[in-house]
């Protein structure tokens, strides 16, 4: 197995291959892979996913992957080092690194919005022209195009349904999920009474309605989503524990620590230390 590092913040590479150009690999950076033409399979972390032209796939740091090429394939690889992703600033996207890290690979192509398929194809074509032209201000153009791909990837990942949600789930349950995710930092808005009032559902019916469509209780969904974000703060930010307490509306550090330990069986400081040790080892 080969582990590959990168020293540039952003790198865009075109490859036309008949076999996997690197073999079984592990990267220390994020990589978006767009399939221009061809088909085959992506083997990632023990899963096998088919790919075809028009697919946009995401590889995150420390994924183990290899491509099985069935027909000659053209890839556009967009590599982003962790510092670039961590420092990425957007008006509307909070913690892009968290969104990218928790993307599901089982879905293969991350494009869930049909209208974004044409948009991504157009951006890729523009990127191809730019890296071939070698003209003035090309680096600035490339950064703008790459940032557009990041935003599109983020909004598609954000639309990925919870694991247990049914295929025929109605629009209201998706709106409720979006409401919860948008207000995860506002405990008052996450109360069952507040959600029920917002969506004109009775308090007593809300619980069974949510569980019937999502396969878990609404409180379980809220807690798991909140834990995921707290894990991100501990792993990828320098936020103090008391700052996380304030951000998520816990009463004090003891309250937050009890909540976290209940779900992860480890303290906040223990989790952070373990992540630091893991990153040093890798």
């Amino acid at each position: 197995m080969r582990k590959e590092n990168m020293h540039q913040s952003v790198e865009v590479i075109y490859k036309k291959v008949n076999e996997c150009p690197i073999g079984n690999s592990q990267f220390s950076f994020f990589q978006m892979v767009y399939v221009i033409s061809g088909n085959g399979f992506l083997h990632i972390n023990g899963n096998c996913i088919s790919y075809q032209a028009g697919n946009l796939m995401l590889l995150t740091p420390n994924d183990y992957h290899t491509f099985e090429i069935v027909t000659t394939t053209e890839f556009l690889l967009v590599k982003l080092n962790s510092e670039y992703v961590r420092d990425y600033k957007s008006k509307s996207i909070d913690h892009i690194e968290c969104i990218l890290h928790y993307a599901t690979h089982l879905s293969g192509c991350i494009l869930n919005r049909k209208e974004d398929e044409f948009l991504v194809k157009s951006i890729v074509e523009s990127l191809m022209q730019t890296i071939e032209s070698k003209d003035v201000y090309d680096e600035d153009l490339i950064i703008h195009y790459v940032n557009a791909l990041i935003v599109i990837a983020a909004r598609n990942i954000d639309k990925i349904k919870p694991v247990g949600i049914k295929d025929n789930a109605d629009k209201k349950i998706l709106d409720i999920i979006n409401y919860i995710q948008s207000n995860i930092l506002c405990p008052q808005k996450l109360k069952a009474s507040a959600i029920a009032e917002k969506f004109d559902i009775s308090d007593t019916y809300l619980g069974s309605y949510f569980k019937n469509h999502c396969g878990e209780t609404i409180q379980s969904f809220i807690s798991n989503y909140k834990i995921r974000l707290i894990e991100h703060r501990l792993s990828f930010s320098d936020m103090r524990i008391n700052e996380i307490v304030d951000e998520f509306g816990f009463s004090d550090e003891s309250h937050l620590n009890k909540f976290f330990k209940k779900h992860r069986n480890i303290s906040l400081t223990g989790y952070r230390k373990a992540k630091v040790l893991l990153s040093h080892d890798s």
Side-chain angles (χ1 to χ4, degrees):
M1 187 202 70
R2 173 181 170 184
K3 183 159 186 175
E4 184 179 340
N5 299 303
M6 68 178 292
H7 304 289
Q8 297 173 245
S9 296
V10 176
E11 190 174 356
V12 180
I13 300 171
Y14 166 79
K15 287 184 179 291
K16 184 175 183 179
V17 293
N18 294 307
E19 61 182 9
C20 183
I22 298 174
N24 193 31
S25 305
Q26 184 184 32
F27 296 148
S28 64
F29 48 86
F30 292 89
Q31 183 168 254
M32 288 186 283
V33 180
Y34 182 79
V35 183
I36 300 171
S37 67
N39 70 288
F41 298 92
L42 167 63
H43 297 270
I44 182 165
N45 302 329
N47 299 304
C48 180
I49 305 155
S50 64
Y51 73 78
Q52 60 185 4
N55 284 176
L56 180 67
M57 296 170 287
L58 176 68
L59 307 177
T60 62
N62 300 319
D63 283 333
Y64 293 92
H65 79 278
T66 185
F67 283 96
E68 179 186 343
I69 312 297
V70 175
T71 63
T72 300
T73 300
E74 294 178 282
F75 291 116
L76 188 73
L77 312 177
V78 179
K79 302 179 180 181
L80 311 163
N81 71 17
S82 295
E83 288 75 18
Y84 184 84
V85 173
R86 185 170 58 244
D87 297 336
Y88 177 87
K89 302 296 181 185
S90 170
K91 182 178 179 181
S92 57
I93 300 175
D94 179 40
H95 296 287
I96 185 73
E97 189 171 20
C98 183
I99 293 174
L100 298 183
H101 253 292
Y102 286 97
T104 173
H105 297 298
L106 296 179
S107 60
C109 178
I110 62 174
L111 295 177
N112 294 291
R113 292 166 51 95
K114 202 70 180 174
E115 58 269 35
D116 281 344
E117 293 179 7
F118 175 76
L119 187 54
V120 168
K121 183 179 180 181
S122 299
I123 293 171
V124 167
E125 290 172 351
S126 298
L127 272 169
M128 289 286 291
Q129 292 174 3
T130 304
I131 62 177
E132 290 172 1
S133 69
K134 295 182 174 59
D135 206 342
V136 65
Y137 302 127
D138 277 353
E139 289 186 13
D140 295 283
L141 267 177
I142 288 171
I143 291 296
H144 283 298
Y145 290 139
V146 167
N147 285 344
L149 284 179
I150 290 174
V151 173
I152 293 170
R155 76 178 180 186
N156 279 270
I157 292 167
D158 192 55
K159 296 299 181 184
I160 293 174
K161 298 175 183 177
V163 174
I165 197 167
K166 296 180 179 178
D167 292 335
N168 61 347
D170 59 37
K171 183 179 183 298
K172 181 172 285 189
I173 196 69
L174 299 178
D175 289 340
I176 291 174
I177 289 169
N178 184 60
Y179 171 86
I180 291 170
Q181 293 175 332
S182 300
N183 293 284
I184 198 66
L185 304 180
C186 306
Q188 293 299 318
K189 293 184 177 181
L190 298 181
K191 289 182 177 180
S193 57
I195 298 172
E197 182 179 356
K198 171 72 177 178
F199 292 95
D200 196 25
I201 300 175
S202 71
D203 292 19
T204 53
Y205 179 59
L206 175 63
S208 59
Y209 173 75
F210 191 92
K211 188 170 184 179
N212 182 51
H213 282 83
C214 296
E216 64 178 316
T217 67
I218 192 167
Q219 286 307 317
S220 174
F221 177 81
I222 291 171
S223 295
N224 288 333
Y225 188 67
K226 192 175 292 187
I227 283 288
R228 194 178 87 179
L229 296 179
I230 293 170
E231 283 179 331
H232 170 265
R233 272 50 163 188
L234 296 171
S235 301
F236 306 114
S237 80
D238 296 323
M239 290 180 71
R240 299 184 181 92
I241 301 300
N242 66 315
E243 291 176 323
I244 301 175
V245 167
D246 292 339
E247 183 182 26
F248 286 89
F250 287 91
S251 57
D252 53 35
E253 290 188 25
S254 177
H255 183 201
L256 172 58
N257 201 56
K258 185 178 180 181
F259 171 78
F260 190 82
K261 198 167 185 178
K262 175 184 176 182
H263 289 84
R264 290 296 181 262
N265 200 32
I266 189 172
S267 68
L268 296 158
T269 53
Y271 182 88
R272 176 168 267 172
K273 287 177 181 177
K275 284 294 181 180
V276 170
L277 289 173
L278 185 63
S279 64
H280 286 169
D281 290 343
S282 62

